[in-house]
């Protein structure tokens, strides 16, 4: 028997609080607080506490969100988020201890990929490359990958494209993980073919690739320096559009969370109606009989 059972009627409250805690955890780690040790540790402590109180399932979606957090923060300019990443590693250990032991495998392969990117090794000196032919220099476009090939590779292909800024690639890594999570969750809830599923798929397969390809059509020498609109460069506009798409995916995840939460609440009411024992009302049921004597 866990602590959630000992709390009796408060057990269903813990389950509902756990559903909202997942949204709070995702909002924290993917915001500016995700770069701080205190922010990640505080959100992780809420998950761990609810798991101990009886909502043991909560560590599994939190672990999936943690993988997306590592994918968006650990690659590229990771030093600025180093305190938050350290807190995330400690949270991963706690989640595994509380039941999400499967987390060790994706973390291992992600760590191997991070080490393979040589984050501590100084870059090798670049050799002078011969000037490319004039047709390739027209417009300043680097013709290393066709748009069709990039689209076929999906968002994962764009994450590895060094023509994109590091912050945009980090956003694409998070978008890749979270959009796939949304699609898997919607299919599991029987919402395949719904409007939410259409939005998540369009963000993953159309809106994000279109934004990236529009940026790659800009001249390389001006894309990150020349203002295009309201003083914003092509790079700033790309980061802004990817942030909007991340918010859109988060809305889909929040909607799926509410849908799953309603099902959980309905099941809890059924269990209480089926198995809860009635309480004895001492004030109304225990009466002293009065003897009436005949005259």
């Amino acid at each position: 028997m866990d602590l959630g059972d000992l709390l009796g009627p408060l057990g269903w409250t813990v389950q509902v609080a756990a559903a909202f805690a997942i949204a709070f955890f995702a909002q924290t780690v993917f915001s500016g607080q995700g770069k701080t040790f205190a922010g990640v540790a505080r959100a992780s402590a809420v998950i761990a506490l609810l798991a101990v109180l009886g909502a043991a399932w909560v560590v599994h979606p939190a672990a999936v969100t943690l993988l997306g957090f590592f994918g968006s923060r650990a690659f590229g300019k990771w030093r600025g988020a180093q305190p938050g990443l350290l807190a995330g590693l400690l949270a991963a250990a706690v989640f595994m201890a509380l039941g999400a032991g499967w987390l060790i495998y994706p973390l291992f392969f992600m760590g191997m990929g991070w080490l393979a990117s040589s984050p501590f090794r100084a870059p090798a000196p670049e050799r002078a490359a011969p000037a490319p032919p004039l047709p390739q220099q027209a417009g300043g476009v680097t013709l290393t990958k066709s748009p069709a090939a990039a689209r076929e590779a999906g968002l994962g292909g764009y994450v590895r494209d060094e023509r994109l800024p590091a912050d945009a690639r980090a956003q694409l890594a998070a978008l890749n993980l979270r959009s796939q999570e949304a699609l898997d969750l919607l299919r599991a809830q029987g919402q395949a073919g719904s409007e939410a599923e259409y939005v998540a798929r369009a963000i993953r397969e159309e809106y994000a690739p279109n934004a990236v390809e529009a940026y790659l059509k800009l001249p390389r020498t001006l894309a990150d320096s020349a203002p295009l609109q309201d003083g914003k460069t092509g790079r700033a506009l790309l980061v802004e559009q990817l942030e909007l798409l991340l918010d859109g995916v988060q809305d889909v995840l929040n909607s799926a969370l509410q849908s799953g939460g309603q099902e959980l609440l309905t099941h809890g009411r059924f269990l209480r109606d089926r198995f809860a024992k009635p309480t004895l009302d001492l004030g109304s049921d225990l009466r002293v009989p009065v003897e009436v004597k005949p005259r």
Side-chain angles (χ1 to χ4, degrees):
M1 176 181 294
D2 55 30
L3 186 57
D5 295 330
L6 295 176
L7 292 176
L10 293 180
W12 69 271
T13 306
V14 173
Q15 303 295 330
V16 176
F20 287 99
I22 291 297
F24 170 72
F25 182 76
Q27 182 180 4
T28 299
V29 298
F30 289 112
S31 66
Q33 298 183 34
K35 297 182 179 180
T36 66
F37 186 94
V40 177
R42 181 169 55 249
S44 304
V46 173
I47 297 295
L49 176 63
L50 290 171
V52 171
L53 290 177
W57 60 268
V58 75
V59 298
H60 298 285
V64 173
T65 304
L66 199 59
L67 288 176
F69 165 69
F70 286 134
S72 62
R73 301 286 191 189
F75 298 91
K77 297 180 180 180
W78 59 274
R79 295 185 184 276
Q82 189 172 359
L85 290 172
L86 177 60
L89 289 175
L90 295 177
V94 173
F95 293 167
M96 287 188 285
L98 291 175
W102 55 266
L103 184 59
I104 186 64
Y105 300 105
L107 277 182
F108 172 77
F109 290 109
M110 186 174 290
M112 294 297 292
W114 182 74
L115 291 175
S117 65
S118 303
F120 303 106
R121 186 172 57 192
E126 297 182 357
R127 296 181 179 180
L134 289 178
Q136 291 185 343
Q137 292 180 346
V141 179
T142 305
L143 301 177
T144 58
K145 183 186 293 186
S146 67
R151 185 181 290 274
E152 184 177 354
L155 294 183
Y158 291 122
V159 172
R160 297 184 294 272
D161 196 329
E162 296 183 355
R163 296 175 297 172
L164 296 174
D167 47 356
R169 282 188 284 162
Q171 289 175 302
L172 287 166
L175 196 59
N176 187 28
L177 290 171
R178 293 162 71 181
S179 61
Q180 187 60 55
E181 177 189 359
L183 290 172
D184 293 341
L185 183 59
L186 290 170
R187 282 195 291 266
Q189 293 181 351
Q191 297 191 49
S194 65
E195 181 180 358
E197 195 262 354
Y198 169 79
V199 171
R201 189 174 300 280
I203 290 175
R204 179 180 179 85
E205 299 178 0
E206 182 178 354
Y207 301 152
N210 286 348
V212 173
E213 290 173 11
Y215 169 82
L216 292 176
K217 291 178 182 179
L218 298 175
R220 296 296 91 218
T221 56
L222 301 176
D224 299 342
S225 58
L228 293 177
Q229 182 183 32
D230 298 331
K232 297 179 181 178
T233 63
R235 173 178 179 171
L237 291 172
L238 174 63
V239 170
E240 180 182 89
Q241 292 176 21
L242 293 179
E243 190 65 32
L244 289 174
L245 294 177
L246 281 169
D247 292 341
V249 172
Q250 189 61 48
D251 289 342
V252 174
L253 285 171
N254 291 340
S255 176
L257 173 65
Q258 294 298 326
S259 177
Q262 289 299 324
E263 183 177 350
L264 184 64
L265 291 173
T266 301
H267 187 62
R269 287 193 293 268
F270 164 75
L271 293 179
R272 288 194 300 275
D273 294 341
R274 179 66 177 82
F275 298 106
K277 296 180 179 179
T279 58
L280 182 61
D281 188 350
L282 297 179
S284 60
D285 293 340
L286 296 181
R287 299 184 178 88
V288 178
V290 178
E291 180 179 1
V292 179
K293 295 181 179 181
R295 295 181 180 178

